[in-house]
Structure formats: structure tokens, C-alpha cells
Amino acid sequence: MRAIIAVLPGDGIGPEVTSQAVTVLQQVASRFGHEFTFNEAPMGGIAIDRFGDSCPPETIRVCEQANAILLGAVGGPKWSDPTAPVRPEQGLLRIRKHFELFANLRPVKAYPALAQHAPLRPELLQGVDMLFVRELTGGIYFGPQQEQGDGDRAYDTELYTVPEVERVAQVAFRAAQGRRKMMTSVDKANVMASMRLWRRTVVKVHEDYADVQLEHVLVDACAMYLMTRPASFDVLLASNMFGDILSDEASVLAGSLGMLPSASLGSGTFGLYEPIHGSAPDIAGQGKANPTGTILSAALLLRYSLGLETEAQAVEAAVEKALESGARTADIAPRGRTYSSTTEFAQAVLANL
Ligand code: NAD
């Protein structure tokens, strides 16, 4: 197949990790007989420096002409003043809004080879393989809010509509159908009206996905179960804020921030794929970045935007084999042991592809 991929390397370690993921995609193309074109565009701090805009119109145009976007990370100390009129993360929010990317998917897997890096006992990590589906463009982060300078009153509003919950629930149920067919919907229906709407909408959508087993779990209990029985979860569906918090909690199960990918999807196949970590300015330019989160994001791109499931699984298996063979970047290497550079680790993945 032919596909165009917009590559937005961004700042800090962004260019180091995206270049490795592109190399992996190039090898997928040559092994499986596809033709991928990579169009690079500026985004984040680097775009502010060059154009005074974190996401210039030309970058949006490059993305519009692509089948999917592969992003590194944006931001860094140079652009960290929260009162600055132009900030790197604004570009990311603009892209999500522009393409209506309302569902954020974050798979979390605990690799046996890395069990010693996670804070839980190894036996609790056995079989951990879950997928968070977080609502990304609604809820309390986007509801009516008020803040009056240093006044004594401020509020944010959790607001959901039935169509907003329906569309993200459909994404989650479809994902569950391709996995172990279990879905946990996270809410706070005992206290919040918006969460009662959430629950009854999920129950209604479930009628079209009867082959998936559905459970409802309150968010506070879910936070606990993620640590006490993480292997019991398959797909977790959560609102914008609950999904934000719980998916970060669950990320510790993988052993390092550098391990985890994400996909942001809309109603079609177009999507934005990026590792969950930031631009890691403390290690930028040193060849220490773990490229796994970005390489696994490229696998999600193959799966969700290009429909290439076999190729996606091949990349995921190559990462697992590289880890089993002992390849380690600094963040996942035992203390005092020598470790691979970003490029050497990616070479180990390529060797297993
Ligand atoms: P961070 O994720 O960049 O780094 C946190 C810690 O994890 C650092 O010690 C870093 O070295 C390490 N780390 C992160 N990714 C790694 C990788 N691939 N391999 C090895 N180690 C890795 O978070 P931060 O330090 O809070 O933020 C740094 C900058 O990134 C800030 O400007 C922040 O706004 C931005 N940020 C951007 C995004 C994004 O682009 N989506 C997300 C989070 C933070």
C-alpha cells in the first residue's frame, strides 16, 4: 500500500526518537512491499523559534495531506514560561482540535524482561496487557470555567453530551473486540450527574457489542485495582480527567516512561501517534533516549491508520525480542551495567523485525 506520514519531530529528544521510528517504518515498507512517504514539518518550540507559532499553517497543511501523524515531543526550558503568549503545547492542542481527535489510546504492557524496573512485585505484573481509551476533547478540561485573578472563587465544569460519550465508547468496544473482549468503564456515577450520563450511555452502546463483557468500576476503586490486580484489565474506558490520571498511574507498570506509546484517533482512520513521554531536556542530544515508546507508536499507526495488523504485530514482537535478547537503553538498564544508545537499541529492534 501507499501512505503518506507526516513526521513532527518537535523538541528535545523528539528528533532522536522519531528518526528511529521512521527507520523501523522504512524497514516495514521494504519487507512487506509498501511505499511510505515521510513529510517532516516543524512543531513546538522549534516552530516558535522559526515562525513565532508552535503549529504554523504549513505544518497543518502537511498533516492534512497525510494518512497519519508521527510526533516526537514538544517543549523545553527555553519555552517554559507559562505566561508566554505562545507556548509549545498549544500546537498539540490545536492539532487535536483541528482533526477532532477525541479518543486517546494508551496500551500498557509489562514486559517480563523489565519486571525488576516496576515498583510492583513481579508476580502482580504477570500478564499485564491493558489498553486505556481516554476521552480527549470533552469533560472538565473543556467545560465552562471561571477564575477571577486572585479572587476567592474559581470553578471548572465536567460536562458531557451523549454523542461525545457514544463515539468514544464505540472506539473502546471495537478495540475490545480485537482483544480479550472485556471492557471496564470507569466513572463516578454514585456522585456525579455527568458520570451517570456516562454510565447509561455506555450501557446503551454496549447493546451493539454484546460479545464484549462490560463492567463498571468507580474511579477511586479503579486506582486501587490497577495496583492490586492490574492483569485483570483488558480495555479501560475513561473520561478526559480520569483517563489522564489513571493512565499515568498505570504507566509505572511498564518500568519506564520511555516504553509507552499512544494514539489519538477521530471518527475516521486518521490519527496522531506519539510516545507518552515529554521532550526529556535532561538527556537530549546524548543518545540516551529510549525510542521504544515512539517505535510502538509507529506500530499503532500501522494498525489503526493503515489497517496493517500483521505489520503492527511484527514491530511489537521485534521490540519484545530485542528486550528478551538483553538490549537496554539507560532508563531500563540495571544500575552500573553498560547500556545501548538510542540508535543501537533501534538496531536491535530492526534485527528482530
Ligand atoms: P519528560 O517525560 O520529558 O521527562 C521525565 C523524565 O523521564 C526525565 O528524567 C527524562 O529524562 C525521562 N524520560 C522521558 N522520556 C524518556 C525516554 N524516551 N527515554 C529515557 N528517559 C526518558 O517530562 P518533563 O521533564 O516533565 O517535561 C519535559 C518537557 O517536555 C516539558 O517542557 C514538558 O512540557 C514537555 N512535555 C511534552 C509532552 C508532549 O510533547 N506530549 C508531554 C509531557 C511533557
Side-chain angles (χ1 to χ4, degrees):
M1 87 175 294
R2 283 185 179 184
I4 300 174
I5 298 165
V7 181
L8 315 181
D11 309 310
I13 61 169
E16 299 168 52
V17 291
T18 45
S19 64
Q20 301 306 333
V22 166
T23 308
V24 169
L25 286 170
Q26 279 165 336
Q27 182 153 325
V28 167
S30 80
R31 288 283 162 87
F32 290 85
H34 304 303
E35 201 182 307
F36 298 157
T37 304
F38 299 93
N39 292 336
E40 205 174 297
M43 165 86 169
I46 188 174
I48 293 177
D49 286 354
R50 277 165 58 189
F51 304 98
D53 184 349
S54 56
C55 184
E58 174 61 12
T59 296
I60 295 276
R61 203 184 59 79
V62 167
C63 294
E64 279 172 346
Q65 290 172 352
N67 298 87
I69 306 169
L70 181 70
L71 178 98
V74 297
K78 188 175 172 190
W79 312 278
S80 64
D81 177 1
T83 60
V86 195
R87 295 190 309 279
E89 64 277 15
Q90 287 169 338
L92 205 49
L93 295 178
R94 202 180 313 157
I95 292 239
R96 284 177 185 163
K97 202 86 207 149
H98 183 83
F99 292 102
E100 276 217 57
L101 303 173
F102 59 80
N104 183 237
L105 278 62
R106 275 193 189 191
V108 178
K109 201 170 160 171
Y111 293 95
L114 301 183
Q116 76 275 18
H117 283 275
L120 293 198
R121 293 196 305 276
E123 64 268 26
L124 281 175
L125 294 171
Q126 257 170 33
V128 167
D129 183 358
M130 65 182 93
L131 174 70
F132 274 92
V133 179
R134 166 190 168 195
E135 201 288 325
L136 199 59
T137 51
I140 198 162
Y141 297 164
F142 292 92
Q145 57 173 211
Q146 200 180 60
E147 187 182 8
Q148 290 163 338
D150 291 333
D152 60 1
R153 191 165 179 268
Y155 63 79
D156 303 276
T157 316
E158 175 88 351
L159 191 154
Y160 270 114
T161 64
V162 167
E164 280 176 328
V165 181
E166 272 173 353
R167 62 185 187 177
V168 74
Q170 282 159 355
V171 170
F173 277 117
R174 278 200 297 272
Q177 281 180 323
R179 295 174 48 101
R180 303 199 303 279
K181 296 192 170 55
M182 296 191 299
M183 191 167 94
T184 304
S185 174
V186 182
D187 63 39
K188 191 74 182 167
N190 54 339
V191 178
M192 295 166 67
S194 57
M195 291 290 100
R196 284 191 282 280
L197 176 139
W198 178 278
R199 190 179 286 206
R200 80 176 141 81
T201 307
V202 171
V203 167
K204 188 94 186 96
V205 175
H206 183 218
E207 288 171 9
D208 295 332
Y209 301 89
D211 54 331
V212 176
Q213 191 188 323
L214 171 67
E215 67 166 349
H216 305 278
V217 175
L218 296 175
V219 63
D220 37 357
C222 190
M224 181 180 64
Y225 296 147
L226 281 172
M227 294 295 113
T228 55
R229 54 170 178 88
S232 70
F233 293 107
D234 182 15
V235 174
L236 292 109
L237 170 67
S239 65
N240 203 341
M241 183 168 68
F242 292 165
D244 189 7
I245 298 167
L246 293 181
S247 62
D248 263 29
E249 181 195 357
S251 73
V252 302
L253 302 167
S256 166
L257 214 51
M259 296 295 298
L260 293 168
S262 80
S264 298
L265 305 174
S267 47
T269 57
F270 186 84
L272 166 73
Y273 301 85
E274 57 177 326
I276 73 157
H277 60 74
S279 59
D282 54 334
I283 57 165
Q286 300 171 28
K288 282 188 184 167
N290 184 345
T292 304
T294 318
I295 291 172
L296 292 175
S297 298
L300 297 180
L301 185 157
L302 292 166
R303 171 172 297 129
Y304 295 120
S305 283
L306 307 187
L308 300 174
E309 179 61 30
T310 306
E311 288 81 341
Q313 284 183 21
V315 172
E316 288 163 349
V319 166
E320 187 144 13
K321 282 186 203 143
L323 290 169
E324 280 164 11
S325 71
R328 297 283 187 277
T329 42
D331 56 318
I332 51 172
R335 222 176 272 273
R337 219 194 76 171
T338 54
Y339 52 82
S340 308
S341 69
T342 308
T343 309
E344 286 162 351
F345 184 88
Q347 290 299 325
V349 174
L350 289 172
N352 285 290
L353 188 62

